[in-house]
Amino acid sequence: MTQEARPLLSVRDLKRHFPLPSPLFGGPTKAVQAVDGVSFDIHHGETLGLVGESGCGKSTTARLLLGLLRPDSGSIFFDGLDLATLARDRWKPVRRKLQMIFQDPSASLNPRMTVGAILFEIMQIHGLSSNASGREDRAIELLEQVGLKAEHRDRYPHQFSGGQRQRIGIARALAVEPNLIVCDEPVSALDVSVQAQIVNLLDDLRVKLGLSYLFVAHDLSVVEHLSDRVAVMYLGRVVEIGSTRAIYNSPAHPYTLALLDAAPVADPGRRRRRTLLQGDVPSPVDPPSGCRFHTRCPMRQPECSTKEQLLEQIAPDHWVACHVRVALQSDRSSPSRHDRDSAQSNSSSHHQEN
């Protein structure tokens, strides 16, 4: 994937397998192939959505980027450093630029610390705002940035709602002024109405602060709203990656199509094409040969079970790993957010010209 400018983050052939206990009576030791050759880029100011079914390796990929897990092989280039081989004692300055928002804010916030203390702690660790007055002012600024009030700094996490706790988690990530934030399903534990508020907050902060996101999620509507590009994972591998418009309007992999068709639709009268998948997701301990999706694919061909397909470029910003590419431009029944925004912009321009 050639790019005009150097990406902020560049992941190449990332792998992480988790060995299983040795069999009691001997035999080969097997491993869970959680992440098995993942590659993607994230550019400055960009949001990349990472989607797929539970167990496909999304969260493991996120943890590999943060150094919470060490990869077996592959590279993770960020700010000129390969994080895959970076020594532990050199991670501290990296963590200022690379932060994470966790799925469950209740589990990621210390219940014995006030919100102010939580924010003070991370600023002290990274040597920011050396005096107490500066930290106090910065904490208030952070809380107001995420839609909370100054007086909230004296409260404990259990005194907030789930959405408010996630706002605190966002404020903590922002405290060190990062360049890239990994969001590991940050809205999946929240009510739908609160999800929209958090997603809008993240989008506003991205524009205001020039942030980049890796947004891990299984809710396709959330990913469409927030992401500039989308990567689709299946059984430890990326099977399709491209612009949000390309993925949602012209999916080229049968699995991507199945994911889109399985997503709930608010309008019951909207015409949809259904793709029914057969069987269950294979075990990551013993994945199928060839294309890993061929055991469930309704469009499979003989070569799908024997020949491994790598990502190939099919459009300026669209790659797919599939022997049988799907052309569905005419079958998608409604425009994506990007098409609607473009149409509104063109309409506005037309009225202004008249």
Side-chain angles (χ1 to χ4, degrees), residues 219-252:
D219 188 329
L220 294 176
S221 61
V222 170
V223 173
E224 180 184 12
H225 178 80
L226 192 63
S227 301
D228 299 295
R229 293 188 302 125
V230 177
V232 181
M233 281 191 74
Y234 182 80
L235 213 59
R237 293 181 178 175
V238 173
V239 297
E240 187 168 3
I241 184 169
S243 67
T244 302
R245 179 184 290 109
I247 296 296
Y248 282 79
N249 286 4
S250 308

mmCIF file of all heavy atoms in Angstrom, residues 219-252:
data_model
loop_
_atom_site.group_PDB
_atom_site.id
_atom_site.type_symbol
_atom_site.label_atom_id
_atom_site.label_comp_id
_atom_site.label_asym_id
_atom_site.label_seq_id
_atom_site.Cartn_x
_atom_site.Cartn_y
_atom_site.Cartn_z
ATOM 1 N N ASP A 219 -20.188 -2.459 16.149
ATOM 2 C CA ASP A 219 -21.380 -1.744 15.705
ATOM 3 C C ASP A 219 -21.032 -0.973 14.428
ATOM 4 O O ASP A 219 -20.321 0.034 14.463
ATOM 5 C CB ASP A 219 -21.863 -0.787 16.798
ATOM 6 C CG ASP A 219 -23.208 -0.155 16.463
ATOM 7 O OD1 ASP A 219 -23.500 0.049 15.269
ATOM 8 O OD2 ASP A 219 -23.977 0.133 17.401
ATOM 9 N N LEU A 220 -21.540 -1.442 13.298
ATOM 10 C CA LEU A 220 -21.161 -0.860 12.014
ATOM 11 C C LEU A 220 -21.681 0.555 11.825
ATOM 12 O O LEU A 220 -21.075 1.354 11.116
ATOM 13 C CB LEU A 220 -21.654 -1.757 10.878
ATOM 14 C CG LEU A 220 -20.991 -3.142 10.820
ATOM 15 C CD1 LEU A 220 -21.617 -3.980 9.712
ATOM 16 C CD2 LEU A 220 -19.504 -3.024 10.602
ATOM 17 N N SER A 221 -22.818 0.893 12.437
ATOM 18 C CA SER A 221 -23.349 2.245 12.287
ATOM 19 C C SER A 221 -22.452 3.255 13.000
ATOM 20 O O SER A 221 -22.241 4.369 12.510
ATOM 21 C CB SER A 221 -24.776 2.317 12.842
ATOM 22 O OG SER A 221 -24.800 2.007 14.222
ATOM 23 N N VAL A 222 -21.909 2.868 14.153
ATOM 24 C CA VAL A 222 -20.986 3.743 14.876
ATOM 25 C C VAL A 222 -19.705 3.943 14.069
ATOM 26 O O VAL A 222 -19.198 5.056 13.930
ATOM 27 C CB VAL A 222 -20.661 3.154 16.264
ATOM 28 C CG1 VAL A 222 -19.523 3.932 16.928
ATOM 29 C CG2 VAL A 222 -21.895 3.167 17.156
ATOM 30 N N VAL A 223 -19.193 2.873 13.524
ATOM 31 C CA VAL A 223 -17.959 2.946 12.739
ATOM 32 C C VAL A 223 -18.149 3.817 11.507
ATOM 33 O O VAL A 223 -17.285 4.624 11.153
ATOM 34 C CB VAL A 223 -17.509 1.525 12.332
ATOM 35 C CG1 VAL A 223 -16.338 1.587 11.368
ATOM 36 C CG2 VAL A 223 -17.122 0.724 13.572
ATOM 37 N N GLU A 224 -19.287 3.683 10.846
ATOM 38 C CA GLU A 224 -19.552 4.485 9.651
ATOM 39 C C GLU A 224 -19.567 5.969 9.982
ATOM 40 O O GLU A 224 -19.065 6.803 9.221
ATOM 41 C CB GLU A 224 -20.882 4.081 9.018
ATOM 42 C CG GLU A 224 -21.223 4.879 7.762
ATOM 43 C CD GLU A 224 -22.591 4.554 7.196
ATOM 44 O OE1 GLU A 224 -23.375 3.874 7.887
ATOM 45 O OE2 GLU A 224 -22.883 4.989 6.064
ATOM 46 N N HIS A 225 -20.159 6.312 11.119
ATOM 47 C CA HIS A 225 -20.299 7.725 11.491
ATOM 48 C C HIS A 225 -18.951 8.369 11.791
ATOM 49 O O HIS A 225 -18.731 9.544 11.468
ATOM 50 C CB HIS A 225 -21.209 7.843 12.722
ATOM 51 C CG HIS A 225 -21.379 9.248 13.205
ATOM 52 N ND1 HIS A 225 -22.251 10.138 12.611
ATOM 53 C CD2 HIS A 225 -20.773 9.931 14.206
ATOM 54 C CE1 HIS A 225 -22.183 11.301 13.233
ATOM 55 N NE2 HIS A 225 -21.294 11.200 14.204
ATOM 56 N N LEU A 226 -18.034 7.605 12.379
ATOM 57 C CA LEU A 226 -16.814 8.193 12.922
ATOM 58 C C LEU A 226 -15.589 8.009 12.027
ATOM 59 O O LEU A 226 -14.657 8.810 12.084
ATOM 60 C CB LEU A 226 -16.531 7.573 14.297
ATOM 61 C CG LEU A 226 -15.460 8.228 15.171
ATOM 62 C CD1 LEU A 226 -15.857 9.659 15.529
ATOM 63 C CD2 LEU A 226 -15.244 7.405 16.441
ATOM 64 N N SER A 227 -15.564 6.973 11.204
ATOM 65 C CA SER A 227 -14.326 6.552 10.546
ATOM 66 C C SER A 227 -14.140 7.167 9.158
ATOM 67 O O SER A 227 -15.093 7.353 8.411
ATOM 68 C CB SER A 227 -14.287 5.027 10.419
ATOM 69 O OG SER A 227 -14.373 4.431 11.697
ATOM 70 N N ASP A 228 -12.880 7.432 8.827
ATOM 71 C CA ASP A 228 -12.510 7.831 7.480
ATOM 72 C C ASP A 228 -12.246 6.597 6.613
ATOM 73 O O ASP A 228 -12.575 6.582 5.435
ATOM 74 C CB ASP A 228 -11.251 8.696 7.512
ATOM 75 C CG ASP A 228 -11.459 9.963 8.322
ATOM 76 O OD1 ASP A 228 -12.278 10.799 7.891
ATOM 77 O OD2 ASP A 228 -10.814 10.101 9.371
ATOM 78 N N ARG A 229 -11.625 5.575 7.226
ATOM 79 C CA ARG A 229 -11.413 4.303 6.558
ATOM 80 C C ARG A 229 -11.795 3.176 7.505
ATOM 81 O O ARG A 229 -11.866 3.363 8.712
ATOM 82 C CB ARG A 229 -9.939 4.141 6.114
ATOM 83 C CG ARG A 229 -9.539 5.111 5.023
ATOM 84 C CD ARG A 229 -8.149 4.789 4.468
ATOM 85 N NE ARG A 229 -7.149 4.808 5.531
ATOM 86 C CZ ARG A 229 -6.331 3.802 5.819
ATOM 87 N NH1 ARG A 229 -6.403 2.660 5.138
ATOM 88 N NH2 ARG A 229 -5.439 3.902 6.784
ATOM 89 N N VAL A 230 -12.024 1.993 6.928
ATOM 90 C CA VAL A 230 -12.473 0.841 7.708
ATOM 91 C C VAL A 230 -11.662 -0.384 7.318
ATOM 92 O O VAL A 230 -11.427 -0.625 6.117
ATOM 93 C CB VAL A 230 -13.977 0.557 7.486
ATOM 94 C CG1 VAL A 230 -14.417 -0.695 8.241
ATOM 95 C CG2 VAL A 230 -14.823 1.758 7.916
ATOM 96 N N ALA A 231 -11.232 -1.152 8.319
ATOM 97 C CA ALA A 231 -10.572 -2.441 8.096
ATOM 98 C C ALA A 231 -11.461 -3.528 8.683
ATOM 99 O O ALA A 231 -11.917 -3.418 9.825
ATOM 100 C CB ALA A 231 -9.196 -2.471 8.760
ATOM 101 N N VAL A 232 -11.722 -4.558 7.901
ATOM 102 C CA VAL A 232 -12.598 -5.655 8.315
ATOM 103 C C VAL A 232 -11.745 -6.877 8.644
ATOM 104 O O VAL A 232 -10.963 -7.334 7.799
ATOM 105 C CB VAL A 232 -13.615 -6.004 7.204
ATOM 106 C CG1 VAL A 232 -14.541 -7.134 7.655
ATOM 107 C CG2 VAL A 232 -14.426 -4.765 6.822
ATOM 108 N N MET A 233 -11.886 -7.395 9.863
ATOM 109 C CA MET A 233 -11.100 -8.550 10.298
ATOM 110 C C MET A 233 -11.962 -9.803 10.360
ATOM 111 O O MET A 233 -13.139 -9.743 10.733
ATOM 112 C CB MET A 233 -10.479 -8.314 11.676
ATOM 113 C CG MET A 233 -9.231 -7.457 11.669
ATOM 114 S SD MET A 233 -8.367 -7.478 13.272
ATOM 115 C CE MET A 233 -7.634 -9.128 13.249
ATOM 116 N N TYR A 234 -11.359 -10.927 9.998
ATOM 117 C CA TYR A 234 -12.011 -12.231 10.141
ATOM 118 C C TYR A 234 -10.963 -13.254 10.542
ATOM 119 O O TYR A 234 -9.973 -13.447 9.816
ATOM 120 C CB TYR A 234 -12.695 -12.660 8.843
ATOM 121 C CG TYR A 234 -13.426 -13.987 8.963
ATOM 122 C CD1 TYR A 234 -14.685 -14.041 9.552
ATOM 123 C CD2 TYR A 234 -12.858 -15.171 8.513
ATOM 124 C CE1 TYR A 234 -15.363 -15.245 9.678
ATOM 125 C CE2 TYR A 234 -13.525 -16.382 8.641
ATOM 126 C CZ TYR A 234 -14.781 -16.414 9.226
ATOM 127 O OH TYR A 234 -15.442 -17.615 9.366
ATOM 128 N N LEU A 235 -11.151 -13.865 11.679
ATOM 129 C CA LEU A 235 -10.305 -14.967 12.148
ATOM 130 C C LEU A 235 -8.819 -14.599 12.116
ATOM 131 O O LEU A 235 -7.986 -15.323 11.586
ATOM 132 C CB LEU A 235 -10.572 -16.219 11.310
ATOM 133 C CG LEU A 235 -10.442 -17.573 12.038
ATOM 134 C CD1 LEU A 235 -11.417 -17.640 13.209
ATOM 135 C CD2 LEU A 235 -10.699 -18.717 11.087
ATOM 136 N N GLY A 236 -8.506 -13.423 12.680
ATOM 137 C CA GLY A 236 -7.116 -13.019 12.836
ATOM 138 C C GLY A 236 -6.492 -12.286 11.679
ATOM 139 O O GLY A 236 -5.320 -11.898 11.753
ATOM 140 N N ARG A 237 -7.248 -12.072 10.590
ATOM 141 C CA ARG A 237 -6.687 -11.413 9.420
ATOM 142 C C ARG A 237 -7.602 -10.292 8.915
ATOM 143 O O ARG A 237 -8.815 -10.363 9.079
ATOM 144 C CB ARG A 237 -6.453 -12.413 8.286
ATOM 145 C CG ARG A 237 -5.364 -13.437 8.610
ATOM 146 C CD ARG A 237 -5.143 -14.390 7.471
ATOM 147 N NE ARG A 237 -4.069 -15.331 7.754
ATOM 148 C CZ ARG A 237 -3.736 -16.342 6.965
ATOM 149 N NH1 ARG A 237 -4.394 -16.541 5.827
ATOM 150 N NH2 ARG A 237 -2.746 -17.151 7.310
ATOM 151 N N VAL A 238 -6.992 -9.294 8.270
ATOM 152 C CA VAL A 238 -7.760 -8.245 7.603
ATOM 153 C C VAL A 238 -8.141 -8.753 6.220
ATOM 154 O O VAL A 238 -7.272 -9.090 5.418
ATOM 155 C CB VAL A 238 -6.950 -6.945 7.494
ATOM 156 C CG1 VAL A 238 -7.696 -5.916 6.644
ATOM 157 C CG2 VAL A 238 -6.663 -6.363 8.875
ATOM 158 N N VAL A 239 -9.448 -8.810 5.948
ATOM 159 C CA VAL A 239 -9.910 -9.322 4.655
ATOM 160 C C VAL A 239 -10.302 -8.204 3.694
ATOM 161 O O VAL A 239 -10.382 -8.427 2.485
ATOM 162 C CB VAL A 239 -11.096 -10.291 4.832
ATOM 163 C CG1 VAL A 239 -10.670 -11.513 5.627
ATOM 164 C CG2 VAL A 239 -12.284 -9.605 5.511
ATOM 165 N N GLU A 240 -10.518 -7.006 4.234
ATOM 166 C CA GLU A 240 -10.845 -5.868 3.364
ATOM 167 C C GLU A 240 -10.538 -4.588 4.108
ATOM 168 O O GLU A 240 -10.765 -4.478 5.319
ATOM 169 C CB GLU A 240 -12.323 -5.903 2.949
ATOM 170 C CG GLU A 240 -12.683 -4.849 1.903
ATOM 171 C CD GLU A 240 -14.051 -5.070 1.276
ATOM 172 O OE1 GLU A 240 -14.754 -6.014 1.690
ATOM 173 O OE2 GLU A 240 -14.419 -4.303 0.356
ATOM 174 N N ILE A 241 -10.010 -3.607 3.389
ATOM 175 C CA ILE A 241 -9.712 -2.303 3.985
ATOM 176 C C ILE A 241 -9.866 -1.238 2.909
ATOM 177 O O ILE A 241 -9.475 -1.438 1.760
ATOM 178 C CB ILE A 241 -8.297 -2.283 4.604
ATOM 179 C CG1 ILE A 241 -8.032 -0.955 5.318
ATOM 180 C CG2 ILE A 241 -7.230 -2.572 3.571
ATOM 181 C CD1 ILE A 241 -6.770 -0.970 6.168
ATOM 182 N N GLY A 242 -10.467 -0.121 3.292
ATOM 183 C CA GLY A 242 -10.661 0.947 2.322
ATOM 184 C C GLY A 242 -11.376 2.122 2.933
ATOM 185 O O GLY A 242 -11.654 2.156 4.144
ATOM 186 N N SER A 243 -11.675 3.105 2.118
ATOM 187 C CA SER A 243 -12.418 4.266 2.594
ATOM 188 C C SER A 243 -13.796 3.829 3.077
ATOM 189 O O SER A 243 -14.329 2.797 2.651
ATOM 190 C CB SER A 243 -12.563 5.296 1.470
ATOM 191 O OG SER A 243 -13.395 4.784 0.437
ATOM 192 N N THR A 244 -14.367 4.592 3.971
ATOM 193 C CA THR A 244 -15.692 4.252 4.498
ATOM 194 C C THR A 244 -16.718 4.181 3.379
ATOM 195 O O THR A 244 -17.574 3.297 3.364
ATOM 196 C CB THR A 244 -16.115 5.295 5.550
ATOM 197 O OG1 THR A 244 -15.130 5.328 6.586
ATOM 198 C CG2 THR A 244 -17.459 4.947 6.160
ATOM 199 N N ARG A 245 -16.623 5.094 2.423
ATOM 200 C CA ARG A 245 -17.561 5.071 1.300
ATOM 201 C C ARG A 245 -17.436 3.771 0.509
ATOM 202 O O ARG A 245 -18.432 3.144 0.149
ATOM 203 C CB ARG A 245 -17.311 6.265 0.378
ATOM 204 C CG ARG A 245 -18.242 6.304 -0.840
ATOM 205 C CD ARG A 245 -17.914 7.444 -1.782
ATOM 206 N NE ARG A 245 -18.253 8.733 -1.216
ATOM 207 C CZ ARG A 245 -17.361 9.635 -0.803
ATOM 208 N NH1 ARG A 245 -16.066 9.360 -0.875
ATOM 209 N NH2 ARG A 245 -17.752 10.791 -0.315
ATOM 210 N N ALA A 246 -16.197 3.345 0.260
ATOM 211 C CA ALA A 246 -15.988 2.119 -0.511
ATOM 212 C C ALA A 246 -16.502 0.894 0.244
ATOM 213 O O ALA A 246 -17.164 0.027 -0.337
ATOM 214 C CB ALA A 246 -14.503 1.959 -0.832
ATOM 215 N N ILE A 247 -16.215 0.813 1.524
ATOM 216 C CA ILE A 247 -16.616 -0.360 2.303
ATOM 217 C C ILE A 247 -18.131 -0.451 2.431
ATOM 218 O O ILE A 247 -18.717 -1.537 2.300
ATOM 219 C CB ILE A 247 -15.968 -0.325 3.700
ATOM 220 C CG1 ILE A 247 -14.439 -0.410 3.588
ATOM 221 C CG2 ILE A 247 -16.505 -1.446 4.580
ATOM 222 C CD1 ILE A 247 -13.925 -1.698 2.993
ATOM 223 N N TYR A 248 -18.795 0.669 2.665
ATOM 224 C CA TYR A 248 -20.237 0.644 2.903
ATOM 225 C C TYR A 248 -21.062 0.666 1.617
ATOM 226 O O TYR A 248 -22.169 0.123 1.584
ATOM 227 C CB TYR A 248 -20.650 1.812 3.805
ATOM 228 C CG TYR A 248 -20.336 1.558 5.266
ATOM 229 C CD1 TYR A 248 -19.053 1.713 5.757
ATOM 230 C CD2 TYR A 248 -21.322 1.128 6.147
ATOM 231 C CE1 TYR A 248 -18.748 1.461 7.081
ATOM 232 C CE2 TYR A 248 -21.032 0.876 7.476
ATOM 233 C CZ TYR A 248 -19.746 1.042 7.941
ATOM 234 O OH TYR A 248 -19.462 0.778 9.266
ATOM 235 N N ASN A 249 -20.544 1.276 0.570
ATOM 236 C CA ASN A 249 -21.302 1.349 -0.678
ATOM 237 C C ASN A 249 -20.919 0.266 -1.677
ATOM 238 O O ASN A 249 -21.746 -0.157 -2.484
ATOM 239 C CB ASN A 249 -21.105 2.724 -1.351
ATOM 240 C CG ASN A 249 -21.854 3.822 -0.629
ATOM 241 O OD1 ASN A 249 -22.460 3.586 0.413
ATOM 242 N ND2 ASN A 249 -21.808 5.019 -1.166
ATOM 243 N N SER A 250 -19.658 -0.178 -1.626
ATOM 244 C CA SER A 250 -19.190 -1.157 -2.611
ATOM 245 C C SER A 250 -18.354 -2.241 -1.947
ATOM 246 O O SER A 250 -17.168 -2.414 -2.277
ATOM 247 C CB SER A 250 -18.365 -0.463 -3.701
ATOM 248 O OG SER A 250 -19.058 0.627 -4.260
ATOM 249 N N PRO A 251 -18.898 -2.986 -1.002
ATOM 250 C CA PRO A 251 -18.119 -4.046 -0.355
ATOM 251 C C PRO A 251 -17.687 -5.093 -1.365
ATOM 252 O O PRO A 251 -18.464 -5.507 -2.214
ATOM 253 C CB PRO A 251 -19.099 -4.621 0.673
ATOM 254 C CG PRO A 251 -20.448 -4.294 0.133
ATOM 255 C CD PRO A 251 -20.311 -2.983 -0.561
ATOM 256 N N ALA A 252 -16.420 -5.515 -1.280
ATOM 257 C CA ALA A 252 -15.880 -6.455 -2.266
ATOM 258 C C ALA A 252 -15.630 -7.838 -1.694
ATOM 259 O O ALA A 252 -15.322 -8.754 -2.443
ATOM 260 C CB ALA A 252 -14.585 -5.900 -2.861
#
